[in-house]
Amino acid sequence: VNHASKLIINGDINQMTQAFINILENSLHAVVNKSAPLIQIIIKHDSVIIRDNGDGVDKADLPNIFDESFSTKSTKGQGLAFCKSIMKNHGGTISCCSVKGEFAEFRLSFPPLKNQEK
């Protein structure tokens, strides 16, 4: 885990935990056959970046990976759609960049916390 800054997230801990678990499980599946598997978690400003050196995502599939029922595996395709819904409900965003055969990088960006006056 690399962190350049402290990140405080205001939201439902159970939903946020599930979103992180979904993405990390995808990364674990992607690197399972790599000789030197690597999953990085990077905290940078208002974002958490999860990057792996696994199989990556086809360029043609990238626009659809957050769609309900879309899957490149033999699943129902609920995981990333659920993550997108959680991020939207928390005022944040989720995105992915990838190169097939090299890496996948998911960025979860959160809105800045509003200063609360005492």
Side-chain angles (χ1 to χ4, degrees), residues 39-80:
I39 298 173
Q40 296 175 293
I41 302 171
I42 304 159
I43 300 170
K44 194 172 188 181
H45 304 294
D46 64 349
S47 297
V48 176
I49 301 161
I50 301 173
R51 181 184 174 104
D52 65 62
N53 67 342
D55 298 330
V57 180
D58 279 335
K59 188 176 181 179
D61 290 337
L62 273 174
N64 305 311
I65 62 171
F66 297 107
D67 294 348
E68 192 81 26
S69 301
F70 180 83
S71 179
T72 59
K73 303 180 283 188
S74 58
T75 66
K76 294 182 181 181
Q78 301 297 310
L80 290 176

Side-chain angles (χ1 to χ4, degrees), residues 5-96:
S5 60
K6 184 176 181 179
L7 176 64
I8 299 172
I9 300 168
N10 186 14
D12 183 296
I13 191 167
N14 294 321
Q15 288 183 1
M16 294 310 308
T17 299
Q18 192 58 54
F20 287 120
I21 288 171
N22 284 347
I23 295 169
L24 288 168
E25 283 180 341
N26 285 349
S27 288
L28 286 170
H29 289 291
V31 300
V32 72
N33 292 322
K34 292 288 184 173
S35 60
L38 178 65
I39 298 173
Q40 296 175 293
I41 302 171
I42 304 159
I43 300 170
K44 194 172 188 181
H45 304 294
D46 64 349
S47 297
V48 176
I49 301 161
I50 301 173
R51 181 184 174 104
D52 65 62
N53 67 342
D55 298 330
V57 180
D58 279 335
K59 188 176 181 179
D61 290 337
L62 273 174
N64 305 311
I65 62 171
F66 297 107
D67 294 348
E68 192 81 26
S69 301
F70 180 83
S71 179
T72 59
K73 303 180 283 188
S74 58
T75 66
K76 294 182 181 181
Q78 301 297 310
L80 290 176
F82 179 70
C83 292
K84 181 179 177 181
S85 174
I86 289 172
M87 291 304 295
K88 183 178 178 183
N89 290 343
H90 286 82
T93 61
I94 184 171
S95 60
C96 177

